[in-house]
Amino acid sequence: MSRIKILDEMTTGQIAAGEVIERPVSVVKELVENSLDAGANQIFLDINDGGKAGITVYDNGCGMSQEEVSLAFCRHATSKIFRAQDLYSLTTLGFRGEALPSMAAVSRLVLKSKMPGEIAGHEITIKGGKILSLEPAGSPAGTTVKVTELFYNVPARRKYLKSRRTETGLIVNMLQSICLARPEVRFSVKHNNKLVFKSPGSARLLDAVSAVYGVENASEMLEINANHNDVILTGYVSKPSLTRKSRSYITVIVNGRYVKNKNILNAIDAAFKGFIPSGRYPVAVLLIDVQPGLLDVNIHPAKMEIRIDNSNQINELIRCAIRECLRNGVLIPGYKIRPQGAGQAAVLQLGYEEEKHRDKTKEQIPVSDIEYCQKSLNYSFKESKKFDEQGLKQQTIYPPQVSGAFGSDDSFGSDDNLFLNDDHSFNDENEIINIKTNFPFLQVIGQLPPTYILTAGPEGLYILDQHAAHERILYEEFLNMFQSGHQQTQMLLTPVPLELSYKNLTILQEKLHVFEALGFVLDKFGNDTYVLRGNPAHLTTSDSINRFIDLIDDLSEMKQGEDFNHDLITRLSCIAAVKSGETMSLTAMEAIIEQLSRTLEPYTCPHGRPTLVKITKRELDHMFKR
Ligand code: ADP
Ligand code: MG
């Protein structure tokens, strides 16, 4: 090993750049953040070949004087903080004074800037950290930075860059996330001279959400508005019918800063638990505003990670606000009819189906063929086709087993009785049976074997999944029982001895109190034997012993975390619920609907699948080409 010496500036510059500037998207993030800090309300981005050939950011912000233009490239030169305490009252995105010198150390960079009152601007050219020129130049008010030859002197970094499409995808996604944080700013992105994204800068978050996710998806999102102890939470979350298979469609913004924070993501997951299937994630934009003093943004060179004091309280606020919003929203997924290209039939789309290859858009946006790029969230129509072909053609619809549900035969199916007009809103008291959840009044038409209950409601045809609906009902009943301690038990005429494996016996002993809280009555009989004397009243199945043993088997595979009780009760509800394939009487179907309407979260089963979907009269008219 050689002796200690202090590294020259060129080397320290490159080392520091390694932390801040990882790939083209890091350049974009730092430049755009500088433009926002400069007060710009228009920021335009031009990239070439995924940013590898060039990145230019134009802004109409406050600009810089000649002196500042050269000073900005000194390490730790910043206009945003003066001393360490300022970090705790930060209102800007930047503060480290590292981005411009870091970029300039690993590229060729030209910065042109003019302050609004000045006659001429100034242009500086730097390559590999060396100033090549600084001269007056014609310039509009604001700042333009052009970065080319990125990593020309760091071949290892250059080699590590991904394809043009991937790098462009990362850039567009980053810019879209920033655009969601700052809806008052007009953004645009051009790739190889082609517009791939733009936002209106109207200051309305929903407009920014529409620009990023599309108007139709934005109209399907629920607004969040909550606050507690100086923490303000706003934003939008998707209804459970719109989910993705990764968390990359969740944008979290804290004090105007787009951040990655695992705890906040966990709080969002917890809010959606039971509303969407496990392994699926919502689309969401959450803006959290806290006092700057509660925030430590200086834990990551790229300032993407933050630490928040009070984070437990904030996470709880997020969880409760979203959950409340989901509970109050009308969450019945519908079919959507969208015209496709010329000559193609209209496409039916079911809210719960995803288009697998689309998920890749997060990483690979096909830039060459998009004019106006949105984080794409369309669904495929595979599911509806299956329904069409295998369902309606092959299955018979059973009429109600008790006559008179709709009065005379004449009125059955007549427009007046089945459907109200298109722009019907849920005003009439009679059409809503649960005001809190906006649960519609539904009349049973019949059962569509093996699984569905067909009903007529205020907007058209509503279809229930009998198993999912019953699971929801039982889940809430078991949960109530569990939480209130008021078990409802049905005693067995003859107690049944349980023959359990050693492993299952251990589980039963360990969780005996949980089973008892759910309404099971178990007695110890000898050393290693239990007898079952009573079942929860809701477990009406004739095969309850085997179901009980199945439940214990399942328990051995469940994780013993905080979700254990939820998972156990979900499992029990699934076991106890009416199965697909079971024929139901009209009275039983009506009872399911009545009980479902009284649940807190009627529109999804505890696994997060829908209990109810609808096809509106308008959609039926469309299908029949009326
Ligand atoms: P930081 O943003 O952390 O202060 P940077 O290296 O990114 O550090 O920028 C250094 C300084 O250059 C900033 O503090 C700001 O004063 C100035 N600056 C950078 N970009 C712009 C811009 N687009 N408009 C006006 N001033 C800018
Ligand atoms: Mg900066």
Side-chain angles (χ1 to χ4, degrees):
M1 197 167 74
S2 45
R3 315 311 304 173
I4 298 179
K5 58 181 175 301
I6 293 178
L7 296 173
D8 63 59
E9 216 173 291
M10 195 84 98
T11 316
T12 52
Q14 273 200 26
I15 291 173
E19 283 191 318
V20 186
I21 306 299
E22 206 191 331
R23 57 194 332 138
V25 66
S26 333
V27 172
V28 169
K29 175 178 182 288
E30 294 296 339
L31 292 180
V32 171
E33 288 191 349
N34 278 348
S35 299
L36 290 170
D37 284 346
N41 63 5
Q42 291 184 15
I43 299 176
F44 305 135
L45 173 64
D46 247 340
I47 48 176
N48 287 94
D49 288 345
K52 292 191 263 187
I55 298 168
T56 310
V57 174
Y58 308 83
D59 73 50
N60 65 347
C62 65
M64 283 183 264
S65 65
Q66 187 196 12
E67 192 193 351
E68 284 176 312
V69 163
S70 52
L71 208 54
F73 289 91
C74 299
R75 195 154 297 281
H76 308 304
T78 180
S79 55
K80 299 170 193 175
I81 59 168
F82 299 102
R83 45 185 180 256
Q85 299 96 288
D86 295 347
L87 280 177
Y88 300 98
S89 53
L90 207 60
T91 52
T92 52
L93 298 166
F95 56 86
R96 296 170 66 102
E98 278 190 325
L100 287 182
S102 296
M103 267 172 233
V106 293
S107 69
R108 181 177 199 277
L109 187 152
V110 180
L111 181 148
K112 196 155 55 162
S113 192
K114 187 173 88 86
M115 301 206 299
E118 279 186 325
I119 298 167
H122 322 278
E123 183 177 294
I124 189 168
T125 306
I126 307 190
K127 187 169 175 181
K130 274 212 170 107
I131 298 183
L132 303 182
S133 65
L134 171 61
E135 54 204 18
S139 163
T143 303
T144 301
V145 182
K146 181 171 186 174
V147 174
T148 49
E149 300 177 46
L150 184 61
F151 300 133
Y152 80 96
N153 51 356
V154 196
R157 264 292 144 92
R158 206 176 163 77
K159 236 167 57 198
Y160 158 85
L161 296 182
K162 296 254 167 62
S163 71
R164 181 177 68 102
R165 283 165 70 145
T166 304
E167 296 296 341
T168 308
L170 292 172
I171 291 172
V172 174
N173 276 302
M174 169 62 72
L175 199 96
Q176 289 178 329
S177 302
I178 296 176
C179 143
L180 293 169
R182 303 296 287 266
E184 73 282 12
V185 178
R186 200 146 73 85
F187 290 96
S188 74
V189 187
K190 279 186 185 168
H191 182 259
N192 292 347
N193 247 341
K194 205 166 175 186
L195 184 67
V196 291
F197 174 74
K198 67 175 180 184
S199 74
S202 67
R204 274 172 28 108
L205 179 59
L206 196 58
D207 290 342
V209 172
S210 302
V212 174
Y213 294 116
V215 177
E216 201 169 318
N217 289 315
S219 70
E220 283 291 296
M221 293 184 73
L222 302 167
E223 189 174 359
I224 304 285
N225 248 316
N227 63 76
H228 182 66
N229 284 351
D230 291 340
V231 179
I232 301 169
L233 180 67
T234 49
Y236 288 89
V237 296
S238 57
K239 289 181 184 173
S241 51
L242 181 61
T243 62
R244 311 302 291 150
K245 70 175 184 218
S246 82
R247 291 193 182 85
S248 43
Y249 292 80
I250 300 176
T251 308
V252 176
I253 292 143
V254 179
N255 286 12
R257 184 184 299 278
Y258 165 53
V259 295
K260 303 251 182 240
N261 184 291
K262 208 159 165 266
N263 291 334
I264 295 175
L265 293 180
N266 287 342
I268 298 172
D269 281 356
F272 272 88
K273 177 120 197 159
F275 278 102
I276 58 179
S278 75
R280 304 290 306 177
Y281 303 92
V283 178
V285 182
L286 277 196
L287 280 73
I288 303 159
D289 280 302
V290 301
Q291 286 172 357
L294 297 179
L295 218 57
D296 187 356
V297 286
N298 193 25
I299 59 171
H300 188 255
K303 301 161 284 159
M304 282 296 288
E305 285 165 29
I306 50 160
R307 216 172 275 138
I308 320 180
D309 275 4
N310 269 357
S311 64
N312 286 348
Q313 258 186 40
I314 293 172
N315 296 340
E316 196 49 18
L317 175 68
I318 293 172
R319 195 186 64 79
C320 293
I322 297 179
R323 203 148 184 102
E324 187 61 19
C325 174
L326 290 171
R327 280 183 171 168
N328 295 341
V330 183
L331 307 175
I332 308 171
Y335 282 82
K336 295 189 181 117
I337 298 165
R338 274 182 219 169
Q340 292 284 289
Q344 284 185 13
V347 174
L348 273 173
Q349 296 177 318
L350 178 67
Y352 271 82
E353 185 59 13
E354 86 270 20
E355 208 174 86
K356 292 190 180 66
H357 69 272
R358 294 265 184 169
D359 240 347
K360 295 191 183 120
T361 51
K362 185 76 193 172
E363 284 186 9
Q364 298 185 345
I365 292 179
V367 177
S368 53
D369 45 37
I370 42 176
E371 260 303 310
Y372 189 81
C373 159
Q374 292 166 337
K375 291 190 180 185
S376 183
L377 292 166
N378 296 325
Y379 318 110
S380 81
F381 89 115
K382 265 178 283 162
E383 190 63 28
S384 55
K385 210 168 146 211
K386 199 163 74 198
F387 179 85
D388 238 22
E389 286 171 358
Q390 294 169 10
L392 286 175
K393 279 187 194 151
Q394 293 168 14
Q395 304 283 9
T396 356
I397 297 176
Y398 287 0
Q401 291 166 11
V402 177
S403 62
F406 281 87
S408 72
D409 275 350
D410 276 349
S411 65
F412 182 81
S414 86
D415 246 5
D416 291 343
N417 223 336
L418 273 173
F419 305 115
L420 295 162
N421 60 36
D422 279 345
D423 43 19
H424 165 76
S425 56
F426 290 85
N427 288 333
D428 187 338
E429 255 178 85
N430 293 330
E431 270 123 36
I432 296 175
I433 45 178
N434 186 335
I435 304 278
K436 182 114 179 63
T437 57
N438 274 320
F439 195 92
F441 178 75
L442 302 177
Q443 293 257 37
V444 176
I445 300 171
Q447 193 184 13
L448 175 67
T451 313
Y452 302 107
I453 301 172
L454 303 185
T455 70
E459 288 184 73
L461 181 65
Y462 292 67
I463 305 167
L464 285 92
D465 177 323
Q466 63 194 41
H467 175 70
H470 198 204
E471 262 184 334
R472 162 56 62 195
I473 296 163
L474 293 176
Y475 175 83
E476 293 196 8
E477 282 179 359
F478 281 127
L479 192 66
N480 269 338
M481 219 157 64
F482 189 74
Q483 288 168 344
S484 66
H486 298 306
Q487 297 84 3
Q488 288 171 32
T489 295
Q490 189 169 356
M491 297 308 283
L492 302 177
L493 289 176
T494 21
V496 190
L498 294 173
E499 286 168 9
L500 298 175
S501 66
Y502 177 75
K503 188 172 147 210
N504 282 355
L505 186 70
T506 329
I507 293 169
L508 179 62
Q509 281 168 337
E510 199 184 307
K511 297 287 175 199
L512 198 58
H513 60 288
V514 181
F515 287 109
E516 287 173 349
L518 289 169
F520 289 100
V521 180
L522 292 146
D523 273 348
K524 202 161 184 187
F525 186 73
N527 261 356
D528 286 337
T529 320
Y530 279 84
V531 288
L532 183 67
R533 292 191 183 283
N535 272 325
H538 311 296
L539 191 63
T540 49
T541 164
S542 54
D543 194 20
S544 61
I545 295 302
N546 285 330
R547 299 278 171 94
F548 181 71
I549 293 174
D550 286 352
L551 181 65
I552 299 179
D553 272 338
D554 287 348
L555 283 192
S556 61
E557 281 151 32
M558 281 184 207
K559 280 193 236 120
Q560 300 285 317
E562 58 183 78
D563 286 334
F564 180 81
N565 290 342
H566 162 85
D567 291 348
L568 169 63
I569 296 172
T570 301
R571 187 72 210 124
L572 184 59
S573 317
C574 180
I575 284 174
V578 58
K579 298 282 165 301
S580 163
E582 283 182 34
T583 307
M584 297 184 78
S585 69
L586 177 70
T587 329
M589 291 189 279
E590 284 174 346
I592 291 253
I593 289 166
E594 199 273 323
Q595 289 167 25
L596 184 67
S597 76
R598 284 192 278 112
T599 59
L600 288 173
E601 292 161 13
Y603 304 116
T604 48
C605 80
H607 305 282
R609 289 195 299 109
T611 53
L612 185 58
V613 300
K614 72 173 178 221
I615 305 175
T616 63
K617 178 178 181 296
R618 182 189 305 217
E619 286 151 1
L620 287 169
D621 286 347
H622 199 104
M623 286 183 224
F624 285 106
K625 311 227 177 298
R626 279 174 164 273

